[in-house]
Amino acid sequence: MKRIGSLLIVAVFAGAITLGAYKFLFEKNNYAIISADENTSVVNTSFTPTSAKGAGINEVDFTLAAENTVNAVVHVKNVTIGKSPNNIFEFFYGSGGSKSAPQVGTGSGVIISQDGHIVTNNHVIANASQLQVTLNNNKTYDAQLVGSDPNSDIALIKIETNEKLPYLAFGDSDNTKIGEWVLAVGNPFNLTSTVTAGIVSAKARSLDTRSNQSFIQTDAAVNPGNSGGALVNTNGDLIGINTAISSRTGSYVGYSFAVPSNIAKKVIDDILEYGNVQKGVLGINVAPVNTPYAIEKGLNEIEGVYISGIVEDSGAEEAELQEGDVVKMIDQIKIRKYPDLTGYLSTKRPGDTVEMVIDRDDEEIIVAVTLKERQTIIVPEMGMEVKNLSDKDKKQFKTKIGVKITGVPERYRGYGLDGKVIIKVDDQDIENITDAKNAFGGISRYGKTVITMLNEDGERERLIFQ
């Protein structure tokens, strides 16, 4: 009897371990976690004017907006292929005998055209080997990825159908007001066509002080599975794509965040027209708040964006912006903090001109700045920052091609790389930052890479990285 009891206990214990291993290995999360602080995590969860309504909840009718939205919001299934052990012993001890196994993640998407274009989050469709979309009428279609932008976490997918699909029109998120009633529509925890209500809690919210994020914050309930779903106003206009929640538990606790519709629309338009995202760059450096420099300059109390430096050959330099200028307004939009500025610039392309109100020595001046293409990138693998050569650089280094190293990671500081010009990686000539990105992105971390550079005297140097 004791032996039977012991065997029963062992069987229950083994079953629990097996179930836990299955959930760990085969069930794929439909969201990503970004650290906000040591106790809090952020869980990643398509043009008409937007009008704010100041009416009380008893005077607002959500039914028409909800009815129109649920039919345009879809369920997105992402199937990827991952590695898993053959049995429980390999899970704990490993044997190199792992096998491929499908992993499934789910999220939401929003139909933005009658012919089947759907906007969703990049993290919903990332690394997919197969994408499936289920409409609110339960019809399921295979979907193809058209393009994506990890920086904004926006992706565009498409299904093929002869039907004219219901869709949502983009609203103008710049006109959205704090306190305005909104609806979040999506598929939390695979509960399809779920509608929740809340208000706009804040705009231009950044969840990471090191990034260029600019979210709409709401208190509409959003959970894992809502990612890529719709945030609409009471008119049913799409004003955001639900993307993240701030939570200590992994579930909604009162704070949710959406990519503004103006940013999402610009990303989608770029993907359709250019195949990639066109980013217009102002060309200023900004001092982060709460740093010794910011405290010394009193920047934490400034309403606006303090310019701590000007990028060479940028639109800001051509417009004669200066260190110490404070950006107060851009194209009639008030700038209180950095995400206000970056959020608006995310809707612009190279060649666009913006009108800026600048505070310079307590005097307001108006300056027109033409945005340019980004001149610097961080190259893969080595992590160095490089920029396109200016005419001055080409003359100094006596070259017509190459990229200049402007930032070096700590691990490479002893090689004397900063300020030199890379003209070749292995046998590939480097003419600009695009060439540099492609060349460094294609090298193997296990092989040997030869970098040919020019020093300040225009002399060639070669470094071999093993």
Side-chain angles (χ1 to χ4, degrees):
M1 195 69 179
K2 290 183 178 179
R3 177 173 296 179
I4 293 174
S6 299
L7 290 174
L8 180 60
I9 293 172
V10 170
V12 171
F13 180 68
I17 292 176
T18 303
L19 178 60
Y22 173 83
K23 292 179 74 63
F24 176 79
L25 293 166
F26 294 95
E27 290 189 2
K28 180 186 175 186
N29 287 337
N30 55 8
Y31 54 88
I33 297 179
I34 308 170
S35 177
D37 60 42
E38 62 182 10
N39 297 316
T40 304
S41 63
V42 175
V43 185
N44 280 328
T45 68
S46 215
F47 188 69
T48 60
T50 296
S51 62
K53 296 189 177 182
I57 187 169
N58 294 329
E59 302 172 35
V60 179
D61 185 1
F62 298 103
T63 57
L64 183 59
E67 182 180 354
N68 292 336
T69 303
V70 293
N71 293 311
V73 174
V74 302
H75 184 270
V76 180
K77 184 170 74 171
N78 172 353
V79 180
T80 63
I81 302 300
K83 296 290 185 179
S84 66
N86 291 314
N87 53 54
I88 193 65
F89 298 103
E90 288 183 6
F91 171 67
F92 284 108
Y93 303 109
S95 67
S98 60
K99 61 182 179 181
S100 297
Q103 297 175 322
V104 178
T106 60
S108 305
V110 185
I111 304 174
I112 57 171
S113 68
Q114 287 184 328
D115 63 351
H117 283 98
I118 297 168
V119 62
T120 184
N121 285 141
N122 178 74
H123 73 262
V124 170
I125 55 83
N127 304 314
S129 58
Q130 181 183 9
L131 287 171
Q132 285 188 339
V133 167
T134 302
L135 308 185
N136 195 40
N137 61 9
N138 294 323
K139 291 184 178 180
T140 298
Y141 301 86
D142 288 331
Q144 299 297 321
L145 177 63
V146 179
S148 64
D149 177 38
N151 290 327
S152 63
D153 201 9
I154 292 296
L156 181 66
I157 62 178
K158 191 176 187 304
I159 61 175
E160 298 298 333
T161 176
N162 294 324
E163 299 181 37
K164 289 186 177 181
L165 300 176
Y167 67 97
L168 291 184
F170 280 104
D172 186 352
S173 54
D174 286 342
N175 287 339
T176 302
K177 306 297 182 184
I178 294 174
E180 177 178 351
W181 284 102
V182 290
L183 299 178
V185 184
N187 305 285
F189 304 118
N190 282 327
L191 300 173
T192 59
S193 305
T194 297
V195 181
T196 57
I199 62 169
V200 174
S201 305
K203 296 174 63 177
R205 180 70 79 196
S206 176
L207 303 180
D208 185 344
T209 57
R210 298 165 298 178
S211 75
N212 295 332
Q213 297 168 324
S214 183
F215 291 117
I216 297 173
Q217 179 183 332
T218 80
D219 65 353
V222 169
N223 277 294
N226 274 108
S227 290
L231 185 72
V232 301
N233 61 14
T234 54
N235 294 333
D237 303 322
L238 183 65
I239 62 169
I241 302 299
N242 295 315
T243 298
I245 60 176
S246 180
S247 174
R248 296 180 180 180
T249 65
S251 297
Y252 172 77
V253 294
Y255 310 97
S256 57
F257 305 90
V259 177
S261 59
N262 287 5
I263 294 178
K265 182 178 185 299
K266 190 264 182 182
V267 170
I268 297 305
D269 288 345
D270 281 357
I271 290 173
L272 289 172
E273 186 172 352
Y274 303 102
N276 55 44
V277 178
Q278 306 289 299
K279 297 182 179 180
V281 176
L282 191 60
I284 63 172
N285 295 323
V286 177
V289 297
N290 300 323
T291 60
Y293 178 85
I295 295 172
E296 178 186 347
K297 295 283 188 179
L299 305 186
N300 296 336
E301 290 77 37
I302 289 178
E303 185 178 60
V305 173
Y306 181 90
I307 299 177
S308 61
I310 304 297
V311 177
E312 186 181 8
D313 295 323
S314 66
E317 183 182 60
E318 291 178 356
E320 299 183 346
L321 295 183
Q322 301 175 10
E323 179 181 349
D325 288 348
V326 177
V327 182
K328 306 294 288 187
M329 189 174 291
I330 181 169
D331 287 346
Q332 305 303 312
I333 294 177
K334 190 170 184 177
I335 303 299
R336 296 179 176 85
K337 53 189 182 299
Y338 189 48
D340 290 325
L341 180 62
T342 58
Y344 181 75
L345 291 176
S346 294
T347 68
K348 298 298 179 180
R349 298 186 178 95
D352 289 347
T353 298
V354 296
E355 185 179 86
M356 305 178 66
V357 177
I358 302 295
D359 184 328
R360 179 179 294 168
D361 299 327
D362 297 325
E363 179 183 352
E364 287 194 348
I365 62 174
I366 298 176
V367 179
V369 183
T370 300
L371 306 180
K372 292 191 174 185
E373 290 186 76
R374 181 174 295 280
Q375 297 297 306
T376 65
I377 62 165
I378 305 296
V379 296
E381 293 298 335
M382 298 190 69
M384 293 186 301
E385 183 181 61
V386 298
K387 77 175 190 71
N388 287 327
L389 297 182
S390 65
D391 291 338
K392 180 180 177 181
D393 292 328
K394 292 177 180 179
K395 184 176 180 180
Q396 177 184 348
F397 289 90
K398 304 172 185 177
T399 181
K400 294 181 179 180
I401 66 170
V403 293
K404 189 174 183 179
I405 302 172
T406 57
V408 181
E410 187 67 36
R411 64 185 182 275
Y412 297 132
R413 292 277 169 84
Y415 292 93
L417 300 175
D418 210 354
K420 293 183 178 179
V421 170
I422 299 174
I423 59 172
K424 190 184 290 285
V425 174
D426 291 330
D427 295 325
Q428 181 177 341
D429 288 338
I430 305 300
E431 294 192 8
N432 49 45
I433 58 176
T434 301
D435 288 346
K437 183 177 181 180
N438 293 336
F440 281 99
I443 66 176
S444 170
R445 65 179 62 187
Y446 305 108
K448 180 176 67 174
T449 300
V450 180
I451 301 177
T452 304
M453 303 178 297
L454 300 175
N455 61 26
E456 293 182 353
D457 296 324
E459 299 170 335
R460 290 198 174 202
E461 297 178 352
R462 296 177 74 206
L463 277 178
I464 300 176
F465 285 87
Q466 189 77 31

